[in-house]
Amino acid sequence: MNRRTVLLSLVSLPALTACSAADDAKPAAPRPLTAEEADRMALARFTAYRRGTGEVTATIPSRGRTITLTGRVDWRRHRGYAEVHDDAAPPARELVHWTPRHVAALPAWTGGLPDRPPASGWEVHPLPPHGSALDSVLLLLLNLGADRPDNAQLLARSDARRVRDDRIGDVPVLVAAGPGAPGAPVTGGRLGNTRYWIDGEGRLLRFQARVGGEVQWATADLPATRAAKPLPDPPSRLTDAAAGAAAGPAAGPAAGPAR
């Protein structure tokens, strides 16, 4: 199969919705990626995979409220573990542990993010590609790691765009708009629904996406300077669900590029 960059497959998740160019507040002269910028973008998922586990803090707009996620992602084992706070009325807080196909939630949680979460009380549900804004972000976070670099030449020929130079703290970064869906024409005037903040070493430090029909951006910060703790073992109900899914037919969005 032909090699494709997974950055193309990320934006094909059904929860990512198209928005008009007017939704972008006058982007700073976007242009095609240079060869060096395409190389940096192609390394972003691979550098996450080499790290193994990374911290993540995400803010997710959803139907007039804000969901905040604080936790860790293991890009080699394709698992995540986080505390989720929904500022709805009344506010809700829960622990979540997820894989590409299922999410286990421990509702009414009040104890932060423990290194050893409770063994019981978890509710396990499928993690659908057509799900909520939170579901989409959970899937996207797992997709931000890969065991090899993406195809820089394909990226350079795609409609990915350099948006601007920026800084995260003291670190200079490239801000790039991700490419559109596979096979879409290169239009030049239309920016995609994903943004990547990438440092000079190809490390992804921030990621944004429009998900779940929202106009506002979901934003995930991925600090690369701090060592992250390993994830605790998943709840047994999540492990059982994963084993059952492995025995059945494949489902859900692609987790990587065609090779």
Side-chain angles (χ1 to χ4, degrees):
M1 299 176 69
N2 292 332
R3 174 91 166 102
R4 287 184 182 272
T5 172
V6 80
L7 294 172
L8 296 175
S9 69
L10 286 183
V11 297
S12 66
L13 284 175
L16 293 179
T17 58
C19 300
S20 68
D23 293 332
D24 289 325
K26 296 182 180 180
R31 57 159 173 76
L33 300 175
T34 65
E36 186 274 336
E37 290 164 349
D39 285 340
R40 285 167 65 179
M41 200 170 188
L43 282 173
R45 292 177 5 97
F46 183 54
T47 57
Y49 180 86
R50 288 194 301 182
R51 287 169 57 196
T53 301
E55 296 181 357
V56 58
T57 301
T59 303
I60 308 158
S62 179
R63 299 182 179 182
R65 63 190 198 277
T66 300
I67 299 173
T68 303
L69 178 150
T70 305
R72 305 190 294 276
V73 175
D74 186 333
W75 289 294
R76 294 185 182 180
R77 300 172 70 187
H78 305 292
R79 292 197 288 112
Y81 173 59
E83 182 183 25
V84 175
H85 177 253
D86 189 335
D87 72 354
R93 192 180 299 269
E94 62 184 5
L95 288 182
V96 294
H97 207 142
W98 75 98
T99 69
R101 295 196 183 195
H102 294 88
V103 56
L106 187 62
W109 180 253
T110 60
L113 190 66
D115 291 335
R116 298 183 64 181
S120 60
W122 295 86
E123 301 172 357
V124 177
H125 307 284
L127 189 56
H130 297 271
S132 66
L134 176 59
D135 292 338
S136 298
V137 168
L138 296 181
L139 288 171
L140 286 168
L141 289 174
L142 295 183
N143 272 321
L144 292 179
D147 62 359
R148 66 191 69 183
D150 292 306
N151 191 314
Q153 292 182 343
L154 285 180
L155 275 171
R157 294 198 299 266
S158 75
D159 58 351
R161 290 292 183 267
R162 177 236 182 232
V163 177
R164 67 181 184 275
D165 293 326
D166 203 346
R167 302 183 74 88
I168 295 182
D170 295 329
V171 181
V173 293
L174 161 72
V175 182
V186 177
T187 61
R190 170 76 177 90
L191 296 182
N193 293 315
T194 52
R195 298 286 186 275
Y196 301 79
W197 277 253
I198 308 167
D199 73 4
E201 299 178 26
R203 298 180 301 182
L204 181 62
L205 303 184
R206 179 173 293 160
F207 173 75
Q208 285 189 331
R210 288 191 176 111
V211 295
E214 296 290 334
V215 174
Q216 294 180 319
W217 295 95
T219 301
D221 284 303
L222 310 157
T225 56
R226 298 193 299 269
K229 298 178 182 178
L231 271 62
D233 291 335
S236 58
R237 292 191 62 190
L238 182 62
T239 304
D240 293 344
R259 297 189 173 108

